[in-house]
Amino acid sequence: MAMSGSSASGRAGRPISPDTTAAILAAARSLVVVHGFAAVTTAMIAAEAGASKQALYRRWTTKADLVLEAFLAQAQAEVDDPAAAEAGDDRLLAFLRRTCAALSTSGPALRSLMAAAQEDDAFRRRFHERLILPRRAALRAVLAEERPAASTEALDLAVTALFGAIWYRLLLDEPLDDDLARRLTALVRAGM
Amino acid sequence: MAMSGSSASGRAGRPISPDTTAAILAAARSLVVVHGFAAVTTAMIAAEAGASKQALYRRWTTKADLVLEAFLAQAQAEVDDPAAAEAGDDRLLAFLRRTCAALSTSGPALRSLMAAAQEDDAFRRRFHERLILPRRAALRAVLAEERPAASTEALDLAVTALFGAIWYRLLLDEPLDDDLARRLTALVRAGM
DNA sequence: ATATTACGGAACCAATAGTACCGAAATAGG
DNA sequence: CCTATTTCGGTACTATTGGTTCCGTAATAT
């Protein structure tokens, strides 16, 4: 492949190829989208990427870790406020709608990652830090905008209820549609 | 063991021993509480119960299925309105408190079952039907009592937000304490 | 040049859910 | 009783797959 790089890492020896890294991530993403996390083996990912399994495990400690990274950038770009929305919009409703929409494609993968997090403490910490927390921060910012007086604790509880409901439905195979986003918005604003 | 039974099943041949069934369930429960779902193998359960693996698979299709049944009765008895609570109590708050309290012991097992449900459609359906739905019905009944005018749809959404928040925190290893129950109660009643 | 590291490829290991088969024991129906 | 049927505990087995190790080779830093 191309050499792409000009000797700038502190280490000696042949440097890690960014092309190989990208190929592995792309292979993981497409395979998992099609077959689901459990049905995709590390051997399949390596083959699809034209790489060796060793190339995978040199970069990530675990299959779950690799798939997490493969879906991170995508999820972030799709949900976190593209174009910052024009003023006057319902920012909260728009955020929840984008979240539900994004989960229609990456949802199955995220479900599997949440499942993997249940049996692996180290992975759960990374999952929490790299996927859960950034999403929470983004939603909290949206909420803070419309409730500037609310305490951090109150905002966090609302974030928990909103993402909690969405994850609950995702994990139980129930639809995540615009209507859910709308009703959750109303619930958290006005109560039952 | 005792023979316990007096020839009342339609089938010919030696009948399934309820004693063996009970021993397997008890073994599964105690082993999973101590070591966690993933660390307990079917061979360990069989050995602890003084049974064979075949005895397990004659009764349940899957390890997850067996563990689900092992925790069902317990979870139900602990949460669903023991003694129906005296009038004047805050029924909703009490229900959520019992839920959180029960999860301090059976929570780890339920997390693993939720994880297993993500990769096995047939098991997810049983999990949904036997654990999730009964809990939802119980909570909805409590809510309906204090909001007799509310639509079924509105009640269901509140149930989703409440259980969603609790599952979300359970799966992410965050504490489920009385304070959470109190704040969730307030949120769903009064809004953010 | 030389040491170092990544590369693809292939063989390998360990763990374990679930199955198959055994001879023995328990039951139903005749 | 007798016989077909089924469960019993026990043991061996299969199949799958994360993750590791080792190979000879290629790319890079000094």
Side-chain angles (χ1 to χ4, degrees):
Chain A
M1 285 201 165
M3 65 181 101
S4 79
S6 55
S7 73
S9 78
R11 311 235 314 209
R14 177 176 180 172
I16 291 240
S17 157
D19 294 356
T20 300
T21 304
I24 295 170
L25 287 171
R29 223 174 306 146
S30 66
L31 284 173
V32 168
V33 163
V34 173
H35 302 100
F37 179 86
V40 172
T41 67
T42 56
M44 287 166 67
I45 297 174
E48 174 84 6
S52 64
K53 286 174 66 174
Q54 196 53 228
L56 274 60
Y57 286 102
R58 207 174 284 123
R59 292 167 171 79
W60 299 278
T61 63
T62 246
K63 175 187 165 189
D65 228 29
L66 155 59
V67 174
L68 172 62
E69 183 163 339
F71 280 85
L72 265 187
Q74 205 177 10
Q76 188 167 342
E78 279 177 10
V79 174
D80 292 355
D81 215 10
E86 46 280 38
D89 263 12
D90 189 333
R91 299 278 310 273
L92 174 58
L93 180 57
F95 182 95
L96 293 181
R97 277 188 168 141
R98 287 198 303 274
T99 298
C100 290
L103 287 175
S104 70
T105 61
S106 57
L110 297 189
R111 290 170 62 166
S112 294
L113 292 178
M114 180 66 97
Q118 299 311 306
E119 309 289 1
D120 179 341
D121 289 349
F123 176 69
R124 180 168 57 248
R125 281 190 289 273
R126 285 190 292 271
F127 179 74
H128 195 267
E129 184 182 329
R130 303 192 62 185
L131 186 91
I132 298 295
L133 284 184
R135 287 294 91 66
R136 287 185 68 93
L139 177 51
R140 187 168 42 231
V142 171
L143 283 171
E145 197 171 283
E146 71 176 55
R147 281 280 196 287
S151 67
T152 305
E153 208 182 45
L155 292 176
D156 268 344
L157 185 67
V159 168
T160 296
L162 290 170
F163 275 142
I166 288 173
W167 270 104
Y168 182 75
R169 287 183 65 99
L170 178 65
L171 295 173
L172 293 174
D173 235 8
E174 289 165 14
L176 301 173
D177 46 26
D178 274 15
D179 193 49
L180 176 68
R182 187 181 53 70
R183 284 157 51 212
L184 280 176
T185 303
L187 174 69
V188 85
R189 277 181 181 147
M192 188 176 75
Chain B
M1 284 201 167
M3 66 182 101
S4 76
S6 54
S7 74
S9 77
R11 312 236 311 208
R14 178 175 179 172
I16 290 241
S17 158
D19 294 354
T20 300
T21 304
I24 294 170
L25 287 172
R29 223 174 306 145
S30 65
L31 284 173
V32 168
V33 163
V34 173
H35 301 99
F37 180 85
V40 172
T41 66
T42 54
M44 286 167 65
I45 297 174
E48 174 83 6
S52 64
K53 286 175 65 176
Q54 199 53 228
L56 272 61
Y57 285 101
R58 207 174 285 123
R59 291 167 171 78
W60 298 278
T61 64
T62 244
K63 175 186 163 189
D65 228 28
L66 156 58
V67 173
L68 172 62
E69 183 163 340
F71 280 85
L72 265 186
Q74 205 177 9
Q76 186 167 344
E78 279 176 9
V79 173
D80 292 355
D81 218 9
E86 46 280 39
D89 264 12
D90 188 332
R91 299 278 309 274
L92 173 58
L93 180 58
F95 183 95
L96 293 180
R97 278 189 167 139
R98 286 198 303 274
T99 299
C100 289
L103 288 175
S104 70
T105 60
S106 56
L110 297 189
R111 292 170 62 166
S112 295
L113 293 177
M114 179 67 96
Q118 299 311 305
E119 311 288 1
D120 179 342
D121 289 351
F123 175 68
R124 179 168 56 249
R125 281 191 288 273
R126 284 190 292 270
F127 179 73
H128 195 267
E129 184 183 327
R130 303 192 61 184
L131 185 90
I132 298 294
L133 284 184
R135 288 294 90 67
R136 287 185 67 92
L139 176 52
R140 186 168 43 234
V142 171
L143 283 171
E145 197 171 284
E146 71 176 57
R147 282 278 195 287
S151 68
T152 305
E153 207 183 45
L155 292 176
D156 268 343
L157 186 67
V159 168
T160 297
L162 291 169
F163 275 142
I166 288 172
W167 270 104
Y168 182 75
R169 287 183 64 100
L170 177 65
L171 296 173
L172 293 174
D173 234 9
E174 289 163 15
L176 301 173
D177 47 26
D178 273 16
D179 193 51
L180 176 68
R182 187 181 52 70
R183 285 158 49 212
L184 280 176
T185 304
L187 175 69
V188 84
R189 278 182 182 147
M192 189 176 73

